[in-house]
Amino acid sequence: CIRDRAVLQGELEALLDGVYAPEPLRLRSLHEEVRHLGKLVEDLALLARSDRGEISYAMADVDLAALAETLVHRHELRLQASGLQIHLELPDALVVHGDRERLMQLISNILENSRRYTDAPGHVEVRLRRVGDEASLTIEDSAPGVHPDALSRLLERFYRPDEGRSRSLGGSGLGLAICRRIAEAHGGRISCLLYTSDAADDLLCVD
């Protein structure tokens, strides 16, 4: 964050000093950097509030199947534009007791993570099923996958298995940490698994 701020400040000072012309491409790049830093601050504030137990959850009955379908359709165009096909495997209905907005945030974070870090052409698969008294949501994406040694750290704050790629794609390293907090607040858990196949798939499961 400090490095990003220093780069942004340097770029803005260069514009003010006339070193660079305020060309549209450069201005767009600066705008994206401002958005990235703003998102980082929001995510840090959310995790800090969670650490202090200051986040309230509006628990109610939520049809997780309908919610997942809505969010997948919302992300579908962005995924397709990134060269990814999305496949759904959902029951007709699966009602859970949870906070609709936070569950939306959890699923959206994971789908966006898959969009950023899955190579094209590729795929993302979303499966939801009931296992006993629990709902199990699995989101699987294709190559390049994550090295097995990195899987246990994916849910840590600021952890990026590929620092250069994460920075170029705008990732803050906080999205999955937020997902873990949301899952835990619902009495659930989140895990990252490696499924070895020709496509080197990763699976992220929320129970």
Side-chain angles (χ1 to χ4, degrees):
C1 180
I2 294 175
R3 180 183 180 277
D4 290 344
R5 187 183 65 182
V7 170
L8 179 60
Q9 182 175 341
E11 290 281 338
L12 289 171
E13 288 176 352
L15 283 172
L16 290 172
D17 294 340
V19 177
Y20 299 133
E23 300 170 349
L25 182 61
R26 188 175 299 279
L27 292 176
R28 279 196 297 271
S29 175
L30 291 172
H31 181 251
E32 285 299 315
E33 193 66 29
V34 170
R35 288 182 57 191
H36 168 65
L37 288 174
K39 182 66 167 57
L40 179 60
V41 170
E42 290 176 4
D43 288 346
L44 282 170
L46 178 61
L47 284 170
R49 289 171 56 206
S50 179
D51 289 342
R52 296 192 298 266
E54 296 177 354
I55 295 180
S56 60
Y57 287 81
M59 297 298 199
D61 286 345
V62 179
D63 185 345
L64 193 56
L67 184 65
E69 184 175 22
T70 297
L71 289 171
V72 164
H73 290 320
R74 186 177 298 176
H75 285 261
E76 189 169 16
L77 289 179
R78 284 169 58 81
L79 289 163
Q80 290 177 349
S82 297
L84 306 177
Q85 295 298 315
I86 189 158
H87 307 283
L88 275 172
E89 187 179 321
L90 305 174
D92 291 336
L94 202 166
V95 177
V96 299
H97 195 63
D99 184 313
R100 179 181 176 85
E101 295 300 319
R102 293 301 178 192
L103 290 173
M104 288 178 64
Q105 183 178 15
L106 183 153
I107 297 172
S108 290
N109 277 2
I110 299 173
L111 289 174
E112 179 62 16
N113 198 74
S114 290
R115 186 190 70 81
R116 286 180 174 177
Y117 301 111
T118 304
D119 288 347
H123 69 265
V124 177
E125 296 188 12
V126 179
R127 298 188 295 273
L128 177 66
R129 60 193 178 101
R130 183 175 293 281
V131 181
D133 294 332
E134 297 182 339
S136 177
L137 175 68
T138 300
I139 298 179
E140 173 184 333
D141 55 44
S142 52
V146 176
H147 192 279
D149 294 342
L151 287 175
S152 63
R153 301 192 59 195
L154 279 183
L155 303 178
E156 296 178 8
R157 301 179 191 187
F158 296 115
Y159 181 69
R160 295 167 167 175
D162 186 339
E163 182 70 26
R165 180 169 181 168
S166 294
R167 182 173 298 280
S168 68
L169 294 172
S172 68
L174 294 173
L176 292 181
I178 291 173
C179 289
R180 179 173 64 178
R181 283 304 182 94
I182 294 173
E184 291 172 348
H186 285 78
R189 58 193 177 275
I190 184 170
S191 56
C192 304
L193 307 172
L194 182 65
Y195 173 71
T196 304
S197 73
D198 293 339
D201 294 332
D202 291 329
L203 286 82
L204 198 149
C205 305
V206 184
D207 301 308

